Amino acid sequence: MMMSDDFREKVFRAVAMIPEGRVASYAQVAELAGVDGAARAVGNALHFNTDPVRVPCHRVVHADGCLADGYAFGGPEKQKERLLAEGVVFLDSAGGKVDMGSCGIVIEDHPLEPFLPSGGRVLFLGSFPPPRARWSMDFFYPNPQNDFWRIQGLIHFNDKDHFLATSGKGFDYEAVTAFCAGKGLALFDTATRVCRLKANASDDFLHIITPTDVPGLLSRLPQCHSIVTTGGK
Protein backbone atom coordinates (compact mmCIF):
# COMPACT_ATOMS: atom_id res chain seq x y z
CA MET A 1 0.00 0.00 0.00
CA MET A 2 1.08 3.59 -0.58
CA MET A 3 2.38 5.19 2.59
CA SER A 4 1.39 8.75 3.40
CA ASP A 5 2.37 11.05 6.24
CA ASP A 6 -1.18 10.63 7.54
CA PHE A 7 -0.80 6.85 7.65
CA ARG A 8 2.51 7.07 9.48
CA GLU A 9 1.02 9.45 12.03
CA LYS A 10 -1.90 7.05 12.65
CA VAL A 11 0.62 4.28 13.26
CA PHE A 12 2.67 6.48 15.58
CA ARG A 13 -0.42 7.43 17.59
CA ALA A 14 -1.42 3.77 17.88
CA VAL A 15 2.03 2.74 19.11
CA ALA A 16 2.01 5.60 21.62
CA MET A 17 -1.07 4.00 23.24
CA ILE A 18 0.78 0.79 24.17
CA PRO A 19 1.47 1.12 27.91
CA GLU A 20 4.71 0.27 29.65
CA GLY A 21 4.96 -3.44 30.38
CA ARG A 22 2.77 -4.44 27.42
CA VAL A 23 3.45 -5.23 23.77
CA ALA A 24 1.40 -5.32 20.57
CA SER A 25 1.81 -7.17 17.31
CA TYR A 26 2.14 -5.36 13.99
CA ALA A 27 -1.36 -6.55 13.05
CA GLN A 28 -2.79 -5.19 16.30
CA VAL A 29 -1.13 -1.83 15.72
CA ALA A 30 -2.66 -1.76 12.24
CA GLU A 31 -6.13 -2.34 13.69
CA LEU A 32 -5.61 0.29 16.36
CA ALA A 33 -4.60 2.70 13.62
CA GLY A 34 -7.77 1.93 11.69
CA VAL A 35 -5.99 0.13 8.84
CA ASP A 36 -6.78 -3.50 9.59
CA GLY A 37 -4.69 -5.90 7.52
CA ALA A 38 -1.75 -3.57 7.05
CA ALA A 39 0.74 -5.26 9.39
CA ARG A 40 3.61 -5.09 6.91
CA ALA A 41 2.97 -1.41 6.25
CA VAL A 42 3.07 -0.77 9.99
CA GLY A 43 6.59 -2.20 10.10
CA ASN A 44 7.61 0.02 7.21
CA ALA A 45 6.09 3.07 8.88
CA LEU A 46 8.03 2.47 12.08
CA HIS A 47 11.27 2.75 10.15
CA PHE A 48 10.44 6.45 9.89
CA ASN A 49 10.12 6.84 13.64
CA THR A 50 12.71 9.31 14.93
CA ASP A 51 11.39 9.66 18.48
CA PRO A 52 11.35 6.35 20.40
CA VAL A 53 10.18 8.13 23.54
CA ARG A 54 6.99 9.53 22.00
CA VAL A 55 6.55 6.47 19.80
CA PRO A 56 7.83 3.47 21.84
CA CYS A 57 8.29 1.12 18.90
CA HIS A 58 10.22 -1.35 21.06
CA ARG A 59 6.79 -2.44 22.30
CA VAL A 60 5.84 -3.75 18.84
CA VAL A 61 6.71 -7.40 18.18
CA HIS A 62 5.68 -10.19 15.85
CA ALA A 63 2.40 -12.01 16.53
CA ASP A 64 4.27 -15.02 17.97
CA GLY A 65 6.21 -12.78 20.37
CA CYS A 66 9.47 -12.71 18.40
CA LEU A 67 11.39 -9.47 18.44
CA ALA A 68 11.89 -7.25 15.41
CA ASP A 69 15.07 -8.00 13.48
CA GLY A 70 15.04 -4.48 12.12
CA TYR A 71 14.53 -2.60 15.39
CA ALA A 72 16.06 0.74 14.45
CA PHE A 73 17.35 1.79 17.85
CA GLY A 74 19.93 -0.88 18.60
CA GLY A 75 18.59 -4.10 17.11
CA PRO A 76 16.73 -6.94 18.88
CA GLU A 77 19.17 -7.05 21.81
CA LYS A 78 18.42 -3.42 22.67
CA GLN A 79 14.69 -4.02 22.15
CA LYS A 80 14.81 -6.94 24.58
CA GLU A 81 16.74 -4.86 27.11
CA ARG A 82 14.12 -2.11 27.02
CA LEU A 83 11.23 -4.54 27.32
CA LEU A 84 12.83 -6.35 30.27
CA ALA A 85 13.35 -3.01 32.00
CA GLU A 86 9.61 -2.41 31.68
CA GLY A 87 8.71 -5.77 33.19
CA VAL A 88 7.80 -7.61 30.00
CA VAL A 89 8.02 -11.40 30.47
CA PHE A 90 9.84 -13.69 28.02
CA LEU A 91 8.91 -17.33 27.50
CA ASP A 92 12.33 -18.89 28.02
CA SER A 93 15.68 -18.21 29.57
CA ALA A 94 17.10 -17.30 26.17
CA GLY A 95 14.49 -14.56 25.97
CA GLY A 96 13.67 -15.15 22.34
CA LYS A 97 9.93 -14.59 22.54
CA VAL A 98 7.69 -12.33 24.59
CA ASP A 99 4.94 -14.04 26.57
CA MET A 100 2.04 -12.61 24.57
CA GLY A 101 -0.47 -14.25 26.90
CA SER A 102 0.59 -12.19 29.88
CA CYS A 103 2.05 -9.10 28.22
CA GLY A 104 0.22 -8.66 24.93
CA ILE A 105 -2.61 -6.19 24.53
CA VAL A 106 -5.98 -7.81 23.84
CA ILE A 107 -8.42 -7.00 21.04
CA GLU A 108 -11.85 -8.49 21.56
CA ASP A 109 -15.43 -8.43 20.34
CA HIS A 110 -18.38 -7.83 22.61
CA PRO A 111 -19.35 -11.16 24.18
CA LEU A 112 -23.03 -10.34 24.76
CA GLU A 113 -26.02 -9.58 22.58
CA PRO A 114 -27.92 -6.36 23.32
CA PHE A 115 -30.73 -6.84 25.85
CA LEU A 116 -33.69 -5.16 24.16
CA PRO A 117 -36.96 -6.11 25.89
CA SER A 118 -40.29 -5.59 24.22
CA GLY A 119 -41.52 -2.15 25.21
CA GLY A 120 -38.04 -1.02 26.27
CA ARG A 121 -38.22 2.61 27.38
CA VAL A 122 -34.75 3.35 28.76
CA LEU A 123 -31.45 2.30 27.16
CA PHE A 124 -28.44 1.95 29.46
CA LEU A 125 -25.06 2.06 27.73
CA GLY A 126 -21.89 1.13 29.57
CA SER A 127 -18.45 1.01 27.96
CA PHE A 128 -17.56 -2.68 27.64
CA PRO A 129 -17.69 -5.74 29.92
CA PRO A 130 -14.70 -6.41 32.18
CA PRO A 131 -12.47 -9.44 31.55
CA ARG A 132 -14.58 -12.59 31.91
CA ALA A 133 -12.66 -13.71 35.00
CA ARG A 134 -14.40 -10.89 36.84
CA TRP A 135 -17.93 -11.93 35.85
CA SER A 136 -20.50 -13.24 38.30
CA MET A 137 -23.19 -13.72 35.61
CA ASP A 138 -23.48 -13.66 31.83
CA PHE A 139 -25.11 -10.24 31.68
CA PHE A 140 -24.30 -6.57 31.83
CA TYR A 141 -22.47 -5.08 34.83
CA PRO A 142 -21.39 -8.60 35.90
CA ASN A 143 -18.51 -7.53 38.13
CA PRO A 144 -19.50 -7.88 41.81
CA GLN A 145 -17.41 -4.78 42.50
CA ASN A 146 -19.64 -2.70 40.21
CA ASP A 147 -22.49 -1.03 42.13
CA PHE A 148 -24.95 -0.73 39.21
CA TRP A 149 -27.28 -3.49 40.44
CA ARG A 150 -26.95 -2.36 44.06
CA ILE A 151 -28.09 1.10 43.00
CA GLN A 152 -31.06 -0.40 41.15
CA GLY A 153 -31.88 -2.39 44.27
CA LEU A 154 -31.85 0.75 46.40
CA ILE A 155 -33.95 2.77 43.95
CA HIS A 156 -36.62 0.20 43.31
CA PHE A 157 -36.63 -1.98 46.44
CA ASN A 158 -34.86 0.10 49.09
CA ASP A 159 -32.40 -2.78 49.39
CA LYS A 160 -28.92 -2.63 47.91
CA ASP A 161 -28.61 -6.41 48.21
CA HIS A 162 -31.88 -7.17 46.42
CA PHE A 163 -30.15 -8.60 43.33
CA LEU A 164 -27.40 -10.53 45.11
CA ALA A 165 -27.31 -14.27 44.47
CA THR A 166 -28.12 -16.49 47.42
CA SER A 167 -24.44 -17.39 47.60
CA GLY A 168 -23.69 -13.72 48.20
CA LYS A 169 -20.83 -13.89 45.70
CA GLY A 170 -22.45 -12.21 42.72
CA PHE A 171 -25.72 -11.21 41.17
CA ASP A 172 -28.82 -13.28 40.43
CA TYR A 173 -29.13 -13.49 36.64
CA GLU A 174 -32.79 -14.55 36.66
CA ALA A 175 -33.81 -11.79 39.06
CA VAL A 176 -31.86 -9.14 37.15
CA THR A 177 -33.18 -10.03 33.69
CA ALA A 178 -36.78 -10.39 34.90
CA PHE A 179 -36.55 -6.98 36.55
CA CYS A 180 -35.15 -5.34 33.41
CA ALA A 181 -37.79 -6.90 31.18
CA GLY A 182 -40.56 -5.82 33.53
CA LYS A 183 -39.29 -2.25 33.83
CA GLY A 184 -38.50 -1.85 30.13
CA LEU A 185 -34.76 -1.40 30.71
CA ALA A 186 -32.59 -2.14 27.67
CA LEU A 187 -28.83 -2.65 28.06
CA PHE A 188 -25.76 -2.67 25.90
CA ASP A 189 -22.41 -0.86 25.65
CA THR A 190 -20.91 1.92 23.56
CA ALA A 191 -18.45 -0.39 21.78
CA THR A 192 -18.67 -3.72 19.97
CA ARG A 193 -14.91 -4.18 19.45
CA VAL A 194 -12.19 -2.83 21.70
CA CYS A 195 -8.54 -3.06 22.53
CA ARG A 196 -7.87 -3.78 26.19
CA LEU A 197 -4.49 -2.17 26.70
CA LYS A 198 -4.19 -3.61 30.21
CA ALA A 199 -5.80 -6.73 31.65
CA ASN A 200 -8.21 -4.91 33.93
CA ALA A 201 -11.69 -3.39 33.91
CA SER A 202 -10.62 0.25 33.78
CA ASP A 203 -12.02 2.41 31.00
CA ASP A 204 -8.74 4.34 31.12
CA PHE A 205 -7.05 1.46 29.27
CA LEU A 206 -9.90 0.68 26.89
CA HIS A 207 -9.60 1.85 23.28
CA ILE A 208 -12.73 1.66 21.14
CA ILE A 209 -12.13 0.15 17.70
CA THR A 210 -15.75 -0.27 16.60
CA PRO A 211 -18.39 1.92 18.26
CA THR A 212 -21.91 0.62 18.74
CA ASP A 213 -24.53 1.52 16.16
CA VAL A 214 -26.74 3.37 18.64
CA PRO A 215 -29.28 4.52 16.02
CA GLY A 216 -29.59 0.86 15.02
CA LEU A 217 -30.37 -0.10 18.62
CA LEU A 218 -32.94 2.68 18.92
CA SER A 219 -34.66 1.51 15.74
CA ARG A 220 -35.37 -1.72 17.63
CA LEU A 221 -36.71 0.18 20.65
CA PRO A 222 -39.54 2.33 19.25
CA GLN A 223 -40.78 3.23 22.74
CA CYS A 224 -37.37 4.27 24.09
CA HIS A 225 -37.44 7.84 25.41
CA SER A 226 -34.12 8.05 27.31
CA ILE A 227 -30.50 6.97 26.98
CA VAL A 228 -28.32 6.67 30.09
CA THR A 229 -24.56 6.33 29.70
CA THR A 230 -22.78 4.74 32.64
CA GLY A 231 -19.21 4.28 31.41
CA GLY A 232 -16.23 6.46 30.69
CA LYS A 233 -16.18 5.92 26.91
Side-chain angles (χ1 to χ4, degrees):
M1 62 179 291
M2 295 293 291
M3 189 181 303
S4 65
D5 290 342
D6 179 64
F7 173 79
R8 282 196 291 268
E9 190 55 38
K10 287 179 179 178
V11 170
F12 292 168
R13 286 197 298 267
V15 173
M17 287 193 290
I18 307 170
E20 184 174 314
R22 309 292 281 186
V23 298
S25 70
Y26 292 95
Q28 287 176 321
V29 171
E31 188 164 0
L32 286 175
V35 285
D36 193 17
R40 185 179 296 275
V42 165
N44 291 334
L46 290 178
H47 285 299
F48 291 86
N49 179 26
T50 59
D51 187 349
V53 175
R54 182 177 79 88
V55 183
C57 55
H58 65 284
R59 296 173 189 161
V60 183
V61 300
H62 293 288
D64 62 358
C66 287
L67 303 181
D69 291 334
Y71 178 61
F73 300 97
E77 289 77 15
K78 189 64 176 181
Q79 183 181 18
K80 174 186 172 184
E81 178 184 320
R82 289 180 173 175
L83 290 175
L84 285 171
E86 294 180 345
V88 170
V89 177
F90 285 77
L91 286 173
D92 52 62
S93 58
K97 290 185 178 181
V98 171
D99 183 351
M100 298 298 282
S102 65
C103 298
I105 63 171
V106 177
I107 293 178
E108 56 189 279
D109 293 310
H110 203 295
L112 298 171
E113 290 296 320
F115 183 80
L116 307 176
S118 176
R121 298 184 298 276
V122 179
L123 173 61
F124 285 91
L125 293 172
S127 293
F128 201 79
R132 187 170 283 274
R134 297 172 182 263
W135 291 24
S136 68
M137 61 176 176
D138 288 352
F139 200 62
F140 299 91
Y141 309 102
N143 189 342
Q145 303 304 313
N146 189 303
D147 285 330
F148 181 85
W149 297 116
R150 293 184 180 86
I151 292 170
Q152 297 303 318
L154 279 173
I155 292 173
H156 295 278
F157 303 98
N158 198 32
D159 178 9
K160 68 180 178 64
D161 295 331
H162 179 81
F163 293 111
L164 286 182
T166 54
S167 66
K169 296 182 178 179
F171 300 112
D172 185 328
Y173 172 84
E174 298 296 337
V176 164
T177 54
F179 163 76
C180 291
K183 291 291 186 180
L185 306 183
L187 299 104
F188 198 54
D189 292 308
T190 55
T192 60
R193 187 169 175 82
V194 302
C195 174
R196 207 181 293 280
L197 296 167
K198 287 192 175 182
N200 58 37
S202 173
D203 285 354
D204 292 340
F205 298 102
L206 201 65
H207 173 73
I208 293 178
I209 294 175
T210 306
T212 294
D213 177 11
V214 176
L217 290 182
L218 292 175
S219 71
R220 299 162 63 185
L221 295 167
Q223 298 181 46
C224 182
H225 56 71
S226 301
I227 299 176
V228 182
T229 55
T230 62
K233 295 289 184 180

